[in-house]
Amino acid sequence: MSHSASLAAAFAPHQALAEQLLPHAVPGNDGSHDAAHLIRVWKNALRIHGSEGGDLRIIAAAVLLHDCVAVEKNSPHRTQASRLAAEKAFEVLDALGWRTMEITAVAHAIVTHSFSANIPPESLEAKILQDADRLDAIGMIGAARCFYIAGRMGSGLYDPLDPLAEDRPLDDKAFAIDHFETKLFKLTDGFQTAAGRALARQRQERLRAVLGMLIEEI
């Protein structure tokens, strides 16, 4: 089995759709928004779907294409990333002959998944994508991705004089662990589904444990 076919198999039962969409799905070289991220988000989405329902084909397409336009975290265009991805997804699915109603459902899920876009998801499929994607931003994986992105952006791990920002303003552009407080710990309160919220609470505890262990070692 080829590498691309092996990747597509991870999106069962929609591996055929994954084979069509993966060539469009992962632009750039960002290891926090790569094929591994898509597979993790898909696994999260499957777990939530198992409790909440929804159209799994729409969810699969939305998962596969939700990061199909690369915009760096420090780009002034970051808030437009999900809109640009939704527009590209519309073109890709239209070329594959999807019905307009289905494409619109996928595009809505993609445009609303982003934290920075701040657009509420209205459909169940959109809520599942948002929850599944945000689960990958917390827990052990969330901590790893946070540090990885900080390295890409040239940030330090922490302020050596005041790591927990007790006597200074939080600055997650300068220090990676400041991002835990400025964003990551806040995500759990915004989960859209009951299944997503339950998973988020578990991962929130892990994320706090990671921060606690880091602080102990410095």
Side-chain angles (χ1 to χ4, degrees):
M1 185 182 291
S2 69
H3 181 66
S4 60
S6 296
L7 283 178
F11 294 89
H14 288 288
Q15 56 266 47
L17 176 61
E19 281 205 64
Q20 291 179 312
L21 298 185
L22 278 170
H24 306 281
V26 187
N29 63 348
D30 181 355
S32 66
H33 295 90
D34 55 3
H37 168 65
L38 296 183
I39 292 169
R40 293 192 303 269
V41 174
W42 175 240
K43 289 179 178 179
N44 294 338
L46 282 177
R47 291 182 71 180
I48 297 170
H49 171 268
S51 298
E52 306 286 342
D55 186 324
L56 194 57
R57 182 168 175 261
I58 298 295
I59 295 168
V63 167
L64 283 156
L65 296 176
H66 78 278
D67 285 331
C68 66
V69 173
V71 182
E72 287 285 8
K73 289 287 187 183
N74 61 353
S75 168
H77 305 295
R78 181 64 193 169
T79 58
Q80 300 300 313
S82 63
R83 179 183 61 79
L84 295 170
E87 291 173 357
K88 179 180 173 182
F90 199 103
E91 294 172 2
V92 169
L93 296 174
D94 185 54
L96 290 172
W98 280 48
R99 293 183 301 158
T100 301
M101 183 174 67
E102 294 174 319
I103 300 174
T104 301
V106 173
H108 171 71
I110 292 172
V111 81
T112 61
H113 89 274
S114 167
F115 182 85
S116 56
N118 196 28
I119 303 171
E122 296 178 3
S123 68
L124 176 57
E125 293 77 17
K127 291 175 181 179
I128 289 173
L129 174 63
Q130 187 181 102
D131 283 3
D133 185 58
R134 292 186 184 184
L135 282 171
D136 209 49
I138 53 179
M140 188 63 231
I141 284 290
R145 292 176 74 212
C146 178
F147 294 134
Y148 172 88
I149 293 168
R152 281 179 69 89
M153 300 298 107
S155 304
L157 288 179
Y158 57 88
D159 181 340
L161 300 178
D162 188 2
L164 291 178
E166 293 172 332
D167 295 304
R168 64 172 176 84
L170 289 164
D171 183 359
D172 61 356
K173 290 183 171 59
F175 307 114
I177 68 169
D178 283 23
H179 195 59
F180 285 41
E181 288 293 346
T182 60
K183 178 180 176 182
L184 302 185
F185 288 146
K186 297 176 180 177
L187 291 178
T188 302
D189 291 336
F191 273 69
Q192 301 288 328
T193 67
R197 283 191 292 275
L199 293 168
R201 284 192 291 271
Q202 296 172 1
R203 296 202 185 187
Q204 176 95 314
E205 291 176 7
R206 294 176 191 169
L207 192 61
R208 290 198 180 278
V210 168
L211 180 59
M213 288 186 287
L214 187 148
I215 294 299
E216 282 182 11
E217 293 185 9
I218 62 176

